[in-house]
Amino acid sequence: MDRIIATAEALWRMMRRIAEILLLLHWFNLLSVEGTRYSLPGKPTLTRCRSPEKETFTCWWEPSFDGGLSTTYALYYCKENSDTVHECPDYHTAGVNSCFFNKNNTSIWVNYNITVVATNALGSTFSDPVEIDVVYIVMPHPPENVGVTVLEDKGWPFLRLSWEPPHKVDTRSGWITLIYELRVKLEEETEWEMHLAGQQKMFNIFSLRSGGTYLVQVRCKPDHGFWSEWSSTTSIKVPDYFQRERSVWVMIMVSSAFIFLIITWLIHINSHSLKHYILPPVPGPKIKGFDKQFMKDGKSEGFFCDLVSIHFPATTTPNDEDLLVEYLEVCVPEEQELKMEDKGEDGCPKSESSTSDCDSGRGSCDSQTLLIDKCFKRVAPGLDIECSQTGTGANEIQDSPDVSSGRVKTWPSVYSPLSQHPVDLMHSLDKSKQHCLSDTLFPSDSSCPYHSHPDHSTNDNPDSTYWKFCFNNKQRLLLRPQMETQWQPHAYSEVNISATVRSSDYVEAHNISDENTVVLHSVSSSHDDREGTGYKYQGEDYSHVQRVGSDNVLMLQRGLMKEPVDTGFCKNQQANRAAGTSDTSPITRNQKPTVCNETTLSVNGPAANGYVDTATMFIKPTQD
Amino acid sequence: LHMRQSVWALVLWPSLLTASTMLGCRDDGSFSRSTSISQEKLLERVIHHAELIYRVSEESCTLFEEMFIPFPMHLQTNQAAYTCITKTLPIPSSRSEIQQISDKWLLHSVLMLVQSWIEPLINLQTTLDRYDNAPEMLINKTKWVSEKLISLEQGVMVLIKKMLEEGMLTTDYNDEDVFQHGAQPEMMDSVMRDYNLLSCFTKDAHKMEAFLKLLKYRQTDKYNCA
């Protein structure tokens, strides 16, 4: 029985154990089941501890999951070298999950060891301990009273920032030394411009953008500690100072425009000189041998003789007396005029003037510079001057070269273009109004003003046809045999003008030597059958040159000439006058000092055709 | 029962753990020493503290002098109208004595000075509040000084402890009764008394600073030489 009872008790104990175990297991199950919803709280963590002024400090922690149950947190700390555990004196001042240490509990001499414990129904969880040295966790509040003003520095604005340390920080006694930092940016920008201000509480910012709005912030930091938070943003608008710049630009523009106008005006005034300076005028062409001065001297006639064959208008100068004897003018005026001219006792000039009505080229030959004290004979077409008795008829022209009868030897070159046909020559002569002794006739450069080719134009104006012979005093006398030979061919080659001319007795002044010698050339007046000669000489008024005296005396012969010599030939007149007396009358050289100056005539004796051949005259001074 | 108790104990073991961890500070002490503030740092802070105290006390004295003391009665730097309360303290007073004294005694002297001035300054605070036209700045300054003095005392004590832990001798200086307040001479005038107090304190604060700086120089020399 005892064994049965013992066994029963053992079984009963075992069952109780099993029941307890089961109960425990059940409880554990319960616990485990509830562990999904309830558990120990998570491990909190101390996030940070900060002291704003090195006299107090605050610690904050971060709770973890609470495990489904209400969890309480506690902060415990102990000071260095002390075993006393203290609990946080103030959980509320600094907010949730924080612990505030007041001044009495704060010591800068010792370190703090702080732990946060999370506790719920199931248990507690401890955080990691944190070592704290109050001096090194100082993080002040942001600076206060940040003020910004816009000031001007010589017209340019700048920002002046000023601030104050946080009021809790004792910087006056030096308990804490703060350094400041500020940042600036324009309102529309994204990046800040940082500036370190040191311990000063004022700062200047230059180089502002006019009209922009700037944002400013300041923060501070103790010697050992953390930077404070940025202060609240202070904004300021910079006034527009660009207008001041613009006024300067306006002034510059106005003054430059003014200066530009002045320069333009100056250039306009001096445009010509500038033009010449910049673009110098192209000099005219220079032709060798073209003497401008020669042109200016009025000897253009000779020049043009070379170049052009021009019909020069008659330009008779009133001062004919001063005119030279150099040129002969053969005019074919009206008989009445001739008569009147004959009556004129004046020298050549008058006759010239009388015949000035003729459309002759006389005027062109008139040149004061050609004034020579040479007498010349003016041969009018209607006037026959028989210079010499020996003047033969025109037919005898070709007797000898010397016999210039029928020939106008003095101007061979003149008639060079003329055909040798006497008739043609005559025609040409008639046509030609002016004939000048070309330079070729004489070796020296003659200053024959012009040389007119006898034109073959049918300018039949018998009345006014004339020819003018011009030569200058430079022309060598044709008296020289050499010269004679030179131009002799010319003479021959040329038309025997004189042949036709000789129909009327003319005395033609061939040449005026430089010795004031006039070489006269008598033209016979026996040719009446000339046609179109233009010579309408009325041989009555001519006088033959009988001979030439040795003293430059021209001996005219009255006789053949019915009419006295045209007044154009002063010598003739003189001779007429002289001859009027009886025979010859000496004509001194000086009788007509102007035009009808001395003439040394060499009368060609044999040339009884009535004209004086200069050559023959020369050679045979006095044949008669 | 024993089993039940053990079982229940087993169930309730988490709570035990929780309770045991409450003693973490003590555990911390094991590793907190390595993280304690070094002696040099401590000395720096103490000196800085003393400098500030001296500066502010000097400002307070000047302020008080300007406000309440007529010019002829101004005290010069070296003279005192009346004996200072700390005259009886065994602190070195001459240069030669200072050179002879050890570091410990130097620090001890500082501590004595500090401890002897805490209470008078608190009393001064009370006295100044009674003044009619005491400027607020003066009151604030004196208040500040008294607070900092207490802090300085703590610092000096920590410093001494640290120096003692490093093998320095210790003496029973916790006995604050050593300090004899001494018989306060009768003041003719409370104002003069306060003025005297402030001026004496200013001089003592300067002494504290000087001692501490001297101690610092000794320490650096020792470390540099070592």
Side-chain angles (χ1 to χ4, degrees):
Chain A
M1 274 300 274
D2 291 333
R3 287 187 195 163
I4 296 169
I5 295 169
T7 311
E9 285 182 355
L11 283 170
W12 173 243
R13 286 186 199 129
M14 281 188 65
M15 284 182 68
R16 283 182 78 179
R17 278 182 205 165
I18 293 165
E20 286 172 357
I21 289 167
L22 285 171
L23 193 65
L24 274 171
L25 286 171
H26 182 259
W27 191 36
F28 276 121
N29 284 335
L30 281 176
L31 277 176
S32 63
V33 168
E34 289 174 0
T36 60
R37 291 179 287 150
Y38 303 112
S39 65
L40 287 174
K43 186 178 177 183
T45 54
L46 274 168
T47 55
R48 63 188 190 129
C49 294
R50 293 287 183 266
S51 168
E53 75 285 85
K54 208 158 71 171
E55 293 171 5
T56 64
F57 71 99
T58 311
C59 283
W60 291 270
W61 65 86
E62 181 73 25
S64 180
F65 62 94
D66 58 356
L69 298 171
S70 64
T71 310
T72 59
Y73 295 92
L75 186 142
Y76 298 99
Y77 72 93
C78 57
K79 288 188 178 180
E80 174 188 332
N81 301 328
S82 170
D83 297 334
T84 312
V85 177
H86 307 274
E87 194 177 349
C88 175
D90 191 343
Y91 286 106
H92 307 287
T93 307
V96 182
N97 297 330
S98 70
C99 178
F100 176 75
F101 295 83
N102 60 6
K103 208 177 277 187
N104 294 331
N105 297 321
T106 306
S107 171
I108 60 168
W109 316 112
V110 291
N111 289 337
Y112 285 80
N113 197 307
I114 299 172
T115 311
V116 178
V117 178
T119 309
N120 64 359
L122 293 176
S124 302
T125 312
F126 288 83
S127 66
D128 292 332
V130 172
E131 192 83 19
I132 287 179
D133 188 354
V134 178
V135 172
Y136 291 115
I137 60 161
V138 178
M139 179 176 158
H141 292 297
E144 298 171 355
N145 293 341
V146 179
V148 184
T149 55
V150 180
L151 300 178
E152 283 192 4
D153 172 36
K154 296 176 185 176
W156 298 100
F158 65 96
L159 290 178
R160 168 155 289 181
L161 280 71
S162 63
W163 56 87
E164 291 178 2
H167 66 277
K168 287 190 176 177
V169 176
D170 184 9
T171 54
R172 190 195 56 76
S173 66
W175 180 242
I176 296 177
T177 306
L178 291 176
I179 57 172
Y180 302 95
E181 189 184 38
L182 58 99
R183 63 181 187 182
V184 185
K185 80 175 173 92
L186 279 168
E187 199 170 19
E188 54 271 13
E189 284 180 4
T190 57
E191 294 202 358
W192 291 88
E193 182 183 339
M194 312 292 284
H195 296 279
L196 196 64
Q199 294 184 21
Q200 63 196 34
K201 300 184 186 57
M202 182 257 297
F203 198 78
N204 295 327
I205 295 174
F206 300 93
S207 300
L208 302 176
R209 185 191 302 179
S210 71
T213 302
Y214 284 90
L215 305 176
V216 176
Q217 286 182 331
V218 191
R219 66 176 184 179
C220 53
K221 182 178 95 73
D223 295 345
H224 310 281
F226 302 98
W227 280 104
S228 69
E229 295 291 336
W230 287 105
S231 65
S232 58
T233 305
T234 309
S235 70
I236 187 159
K237 187 178 186 302
V238 179
D240 280 331
Y241 64 89
F242 175 69
Q243 289 180 355
R244 195 169 306 168
E245 281 185 10
R246 194 163 63 185
S247 67
V248 171
W249 280 111
V250 167
M251 291 277 293
I252 290 169
M253 293 292 289
V254 167
S255 57
S256 61
F258 186 63
I259 290 168
F260 178 73
L261 281 173
I262 289 175
I263 290 170
T264 306
W265 179 69
L266 284 172
I267 288 171
H268 177 68
I269 283 180
N270 297 333
S271 60
H272 288 290
S273 58
L274 276 175
K275 225 185 277 182
H276 283 285
Y277 183 73
I278 294 169
L279 303 168
V282 178
K286 290 185 180 177
I287 302 171
K288 275 192 178 177
F290 186 78
D291 188 5
K292 258 192 178 175
Q293 194 60 33
F294 175 72
M295 294 284 292
K296 288 179 185 174
D297 290 342
K299 299 178 182 179
S300 58
E301 298 162 346
F303 166 74
F304 282 109
C305 283
D306 293 336
L307 298 178
V308 187
S309 150
I310 300 173
H311 297 282
F312 289 90
T315 55
T316 55
T317 60
N319 300 328
D320 289 339
E321 294 182 358
D322 295 336
L323 287 178
L324 298 175
V325 189
E326 290 182 344
Y327 61 92
L328 266 169
E329 202 170 84
V330 179
C331 201
V332 185
E334 294 291 337
E335 291 186 351
Q336 297 172 357
E337 293 179 352
L338 286 174
K339 289 178 182 176
M340 291 186 67
E341 289 171 1
D342 291 338
K343 292 175 183 176
E345 292 186 355
D346 291 341
C348 311
K350 281 194 180 176
S351 62
E352 283 183 14
S353 59
S354 62
T355 55
S356 63
D357 296 337
C358 302
D359 183 15
S360 62
R362 193 181 317 149
S364 62
C365 284
D366 295 346
S367 174
Q368 295 179 354
T369 58
L370 296 177
L371 185 65
I372 302 178
D373 301 338
K374 295 279 168 66
C375 188
F376 67 96
K377 284 188 179 177
R378 196 137 145 245
V379 180
L383 298 175
D384 292 337
I385 301 173
E386 205 168 65
C387 298
S388 63
Q389 293 177 348
T390 58
T392 58
N395 299 329
E396 299 178 1
I397 297 170
Q398 302 178 356
D399 286 343
S400 65
D402 300 338
V403 179
S404 61
S405 62
R407 297 200 203 106
V408 182
K409 289 188 181 177
T410 53
W411 23 83
S413 61
V414 175
Y415 306 109
S416 56
L418 298 173
S419 60
Q420 293 185 357
H421 198 277
V423 178
D424 293 338
L425 176 63
M426 208 56 201
H427 281 281
S428 62
L429 282 176
D430 294 340
K431 268 75 176 189
S432 66
K433 294 185 177 177
Q434 296 167 351
H435 303 285
C436 299
L437 290 171
S438 67
D439 294 344
T440 60
L441 179 60
F442 305 99
S444 61
D445 50 343
S446 63
S447 58
C448 183
Y450 51 84
H451 168 86
S452 63
H453 296 278
D455 56 347
H456 299 267
S457 61
T458 61
N459 187 5
D460 291 338
N461 190 1
D463 293 335
S464 61
T465 316
Y466 71 96
W467 27 297
K468 189 188 288 183
F469 304 101
C470 312
F471 46 87
N472 58 6
N473 51 2
K474 289 187 182 176
Q475 295 168 357
R476 270 296 177 199
L477 287 174
L478 300 173
L479 309 174
R480 293 182 182 171
Q482 303 160 356
M483 309 249 328
E484 183 182 12
T485 55
Q486 287 180 356
W487 55 264
Q488 183 173 0
H490 283 281
Y492 281 102
S493 62
E494 292 163 6
V495 181
N496 296 327
I497 301 169
S498 57
T500 56
V501 175
R502 251 169 243 112
S503 59
S504 62
D505 292 335
Y506 295 97
V507 176
E508 299 167 350
H510 283 247
N511 181 355
I512 299 177
S513 68
D514 53 354
E515 294 168 329
N516 298 328
T517 310
V518 173
V519 177
L520 291 179
H521 174 81
S522 65
V523 178
S524 63
S525 60
S526 59
H527 290 269
D528 295 326
D529 55 347
R530 286 174 295 187
E531 300 174 356
T533 59
Y535 303 112
K536 292 222 175 142
Y537 37 80
Q538 291 131 8
E540 292 100 354
D541 296 334
Y542 296 99
S543 61
H544 288 271
V545 175
Q546 189 176 8
R547 62 182 178 90
V548 175
S550 60
D551 318 301
N552 298 332
V553 172
L554 178 66
M555 312 304 253
L556 295 177
Q557 182 185 43
R558 179 189 281 192
L560 297 178
M561 305 292 286
K562 294 179 182 178
E563 290 179 337
V565 179
D566 184 25
T567 57
F569 294 90
C570 56
K571 298 293 185 194
N572 289 337
Q573 289 179 359
Q574 295 289 339
N576 286 337
R577 293 193 211 104
T581 55
S582 61
D583 287 337
T584 60
S585 59
I587 300 174
T588 60
R589 174 178 287 198
N590 298 327
Q591 280 188 352
K592 288 287 180 179
T594 58
V595 177
C596 308
N597 275 346
E598 63 282 305
T599 57
T600 57
L601 300 173
S602 59
V603 180
N604 186 7
N609 47 8
Y611 67 93
V612 180
D613 187 2
T614 54
T616 53
M617 284 167 67
F618 181 72
I619 295 174
K620 302 169 185 177
T622 55
Q623 250 191 350
D624 188 1
Chain B
L1 286 175
H2 183 69
M3 274 182 64
R4 286 177 190 164
Q5 290 175 357
S6 63
V7 167
W8 286 113
L10 190 66
V11 169
L12 296 174
W13 65 265
S15 60
L16 288 175
L17 282 174
T18 306
S20 63
T21 55
M22 293 287 287
L23 302 175
C25 285
R26 193 165 279 279
D27 291 337
D28 291 337
S30 61
F31 55 82
S32 68
R33 287 175 190 163
S34 62
T35 59
S36 65
I37 300 173
S38 67
Q39 189 174 333
E40 291 85 10
K41 281 184 188 174
L42 208 56
L43 190 55
E44 283 284 338
R45 294 178 192 180
V46 168
I47 290 170
H48 183 237
H49 227 103
E51 285 174 351
L52 294 178
I53 287 168
Y54 168 66
R55 193 191 306 170
V56 175
S57 66
E58 191 176 24
E59 290 172 3
S60 303
C61 187
T62 309
L63 207 61
F64 188 91
E65 191 177 71
E66 289 171 359
M67 283 292 296
F68 303 110
I69 307 299
F71 184 73
M73 301 293 287
H74 286 184
L75 296 172
Q76 298 305 319
T77 312
N78 291 331
Q79 67 178 158
Y82 307 100
T83 56
C84 292
I85 54 174
T86 57
K87 193 169 181 179
T88 59
L89 286 177
I91 51 176
S93 55
S94 67
R95 187 184 179 87
S96 60
E97 290 180 22
I98 290 169
Q99 286 177 348
Q100 293 172 4
I101 199 169
S102 66
D103 295 347
K104 189 174 63 68
W105 268 109
L106 211 56
L107 208 55
H108 180 62
S109 305
V110 171
L111 185 61
M112 280 196 290
L113 282 169
V114 170
Q115 286 175 340
S116 62
W117 275 109
I118 291 175
E119 198 168 324
L121 281 176
I122 295 172
N123 297 335
L124 182 63
Q125 286 244 333
T126 318
T127 315
L128 283 175
D129 290 335
R130 293 199 211 108
Y131 279 51
D132 295 336
N133 55 347
E136 190 172 349
M137 190 183 291
L138 181 63
I139 296 170
N140 293 338
K141 282 181 189 288
T142 52
K143 187 176 179 184
W144 189 92
V145 169
S146 63
E147 290 174 358
K148 294 302 175 193
L149 203 62
I150 295 167
S151 174
L152 182 62
E153 182 200 11
Q154 297 172 358
V156 173
M157 288 177 70
V158 168
L159 186 60
I160 290 172
K161 278 183 183 174
K162 199 167 291 291
M163 291 176 76
L164 286 174
E165 289 173 358
E166 293 181 359
M168 289 186 136
L169 296 175
T170 177
T171 56
D172 51 339
Y173 45 78
N174 289 331
D175 183 13
E176 296 185 6
D177 295 339
V178 172
F179 172 63
Q180 298 175 6
H181 288 274
Q184 294 277 349
E186 290 294 326
M187 302 297 178
M188 305 252 329
D189 186 5
S190 64
V191 174
M192 287 303 296
R193 189 175 63 236
D194 295 335
Y195 177 59
N196 191 51
L197 193 76
L198 272 173
S199 61
C200 284
F201 173 72
T202 304
K203 289 176 194 149
D204 288 344
H206 187 254
K207 277 185 189 173
M208 293 179 227
E209 181 188 342
F211 291 167
L212 290 167
K213 281 185 177 175
L214 185 62
L215 184 65
K216 176 194 168 184
Y217 299 146
R218 286 189 186 182
Q219 294 286 329
T220 53
D221 286 344
K222 183 167 67 178
Y223 293 133
N224 291 341
C225 292

